[in-house]
Amino acid sequence: GEGGGVTDPEAFSKKNSRDFALWKAFKPEDASVVWDTSLGRGRPGWHIECSAMSRRFLGDSIDIHAGGVDLTFPHHENEIAQSEAFCGCQYCNFWVHNGFVNIDNEKMSKSLGNFRTLREACKEAIDVRAFRYLILSSQYRMGLNFTPEVLNGARKTVLRLDKWRANLLTIASRTPSASGGEPVDLLISKNIADFESGMKDDLNTPRASAALFGLVKGCEQMFKSDSMDKEGAAKVLKALEKMDSIFGIFYEVPGREVEAERDSALDEAPAELAALLVERLIAKQAKDFGRADEIRDLCAAAGYAIVDAKDAPSTLKKI
């Protein structure tokens, strides 16, 4: 095709394997897809259509352009070349390339028979929310391996977050305490700052998720000591609302009935271990393997093994 990649059969007849066509001369197999122009009879190369549509509807320069990582070369690089040559300005400010979703470590495709729609994979409302959390738990440029076990792990995390939020709502509805509670301002400000820092780092949602769980962990400790009061719970809920305006975890799924929480949710890993799991991911990304091993030992001491999987978030399994 017109891609001009190094594996393109046409590349061997080009002066440079990275060359690509702006205009293709007519071939009988093009049938009715043809125009008569000053360049001759033919059709545009396939890269040009995106540049043409973008310029017509969005102007010469755009802010964000997204697409799969497989489109980086040749398609998007060719878009840049032809658009900037024509307009004389920067074509796009930010490129956002997402990784693939794999099924059991294989690329999802109809030809392999492992193609899944969201309706098939997410039978219940909690599954829809769990899938959303699963996407957020991995960086968008990385691949994501989807399995029933991975979705189940995300489901348990969402149920844990629901329980935590319900506790906050209960405390926030109480009569104010005369003695007051433990201050939460420092806990909130630190984790909000960490959340925003993560999102500013190329939409690093695992880092942002770690900040959310930092808030969860701090509140869980206060729940145990009964040191959170009405005012503190209200402040935490406001901070949570700010985080969730981006994550979108807490919502009622349209057209789905909300199921009662399963008894198995009571056996899931504590919130502080889930927070450590996210911290371990960040440590591994920073090549701080000493801290990653330390977190594995902490989880083991608490009775949980960390199960790693290729292209999927790690999960906790009770030993």
Side-chain angles (χ1 to χ4, degrees):
E2 297 82 354
V6 293
T7 59
D8 184 348
E10 291 186 9
F12 297 102
S13 63
K14 297 175 180 177
K15 291 182 179 179
N16 189 304
S17 62
R18 291 179 173 83
D19 288 345
F20 64 97
L22 293 175
W23 187 260
K24 301 283 290 185
F26 174 73
K27 295 179 180 179
E29 55 263 32
D30 292 338
S32 61
V33 184
V34 62
W35 289 264
D36 291 307
T37 73
S38 59
L39 296 174
R41 185 174 176 80
R43 62 177 177 82
W46 76 280
H47 304 292
I48 203 71
E49 64 186 57
C50 291
S51 293
M53 289 187 294
S54 175
R55 184 170 183 270
R56 177 177 179 182
F57 295 107
L58 302 174
D60 289 342
S61 183
I62 60 177
D63 197 28
I64 301 174
H65 195 315
V69 67
D70 57 324
L71 294 179
T72 304
F73 177 83
H75 184 51
H76 288 161
E77 290 190 10
N78 292 352
E79 270 192 77
I80 294 171
Q82 63 200 13
S83 296
E84 295 188 358
F86 182 83
C87 300
C89 62
Q90 183 170 331
Y91 173 51
C92 179
N93 295 325
F94 300 98
W95 290 90
V96 181
H97 292 104
N98 62 276
F100 295 125
V101 175
N102 295 328
I103 303 294
D104 290 324
N105 292 316
E106 284 190 314
K107 181 179 178 181
M108 183 171 67
S109 68
K110 291 183 177 180
S111 62
L112 292 175
N114 64 354
F115 186 84
R116 300 287 185 276
T117 67
L118 283 177
R119 290 184 184 277
E120 293 170 341
C122 302
K123 301 292 186 182
E124 301 173 349
I126 187 63
D127 295 331
V128 177
R129 295 173 58 214
F131 184 82
R132 183 177 181 87
Y133 176 79
L134 179 62
I135 297 298
L136 292 170
S137 66
S138 60
Q139 215 276 345
Y140 75 91
R141 293 185 187 272
M142 305 298 291
L144 177 67
N145 187 44
F146 181 85
T147 67
E149 293 76 19
V150 169
L151 182 63
N152 187 53
R155 183 191 296 117
K156 290 181 177 181
T157 301
V158 171
L159 288 172
R160 171 64 68 176
L161 289 171
D162 284 346
K163 184 177 179 180
W164 170 69
R165 180 170 175 266
N167 284 338
L168 288 171
L169 291 169
T170 299
I171 296 172
S173 65
R174 290 177 182 169
T175 303
S177 172
S179 59
E182 184 178 335
V184 296
D185 296 320
L186 185 59
L187 173 68
I188 291 172
S189 61
K190 178 187 183 304
N191 287 292
I192 284 290
D194 290 346
F195 184 90
E196 292 176 346
S197 177
M199 294 305 298
K200 290 176 182 177
D201 179 19
D202 192 23
L203 301 180
N204 194 327
T205 49
R207 278 187 59 190
S209 181
L212 169 61
F213 276 98
L215 191 62
V216 171
K217 183 178 179 180
C219 291
E220 291 280 19
Q221 292 172 348
M222 296 174 73
F223 292 162
K224 291 177 181 178
S225 62
D226 198 24
S227 58
M228 179 174 288
D229 63 2
K230 176 185 180 75
E231 181 182 1
K235 288 181 178 179
V236 174
L237 284 168
K238 186 174 181 180
L240 175 61
E241 183 179 351
K242 184 173 184 178
M243 292 179 172
D244 198 53
S245 67
I246 295 173
F247 272 13
I249 299 171
F250 301 102
Y251 73 105
E252 291 187 9
V253 180
R256 304 286 183 99
E257 292 184 4
V258 179
E259 315 82 15
E261 291 187 3
R262 300 171 179 80
D263 293 337
S264 60
L266 299 176
D267 298 326
E268 66 198 34
E272 55 265 26
L273 293 188
L276 283 175
L277 207 58
V278 178
E279 182 183 339
R280 178 172 175 268
L281 173 62
I282 296 171
K284 289 175 68 177
Q285 290 176 343
K287 299 188 183 303
D288 186 357
F289 299 112
R291 177 55 179 164
D293 290 341
E294 182 182 350
I295 291 173
R296 180 183 289 276
D297 293 340
L298 288 171
C299 291
Y304 288 86
I306 296 178
V307 180
D308 292 319
K310 183 180 179 181
D311 295 331
S314 299
T315 57
L316 290 166
K317 182 178 181 180
K318 198 167 183 63
I319 299 174

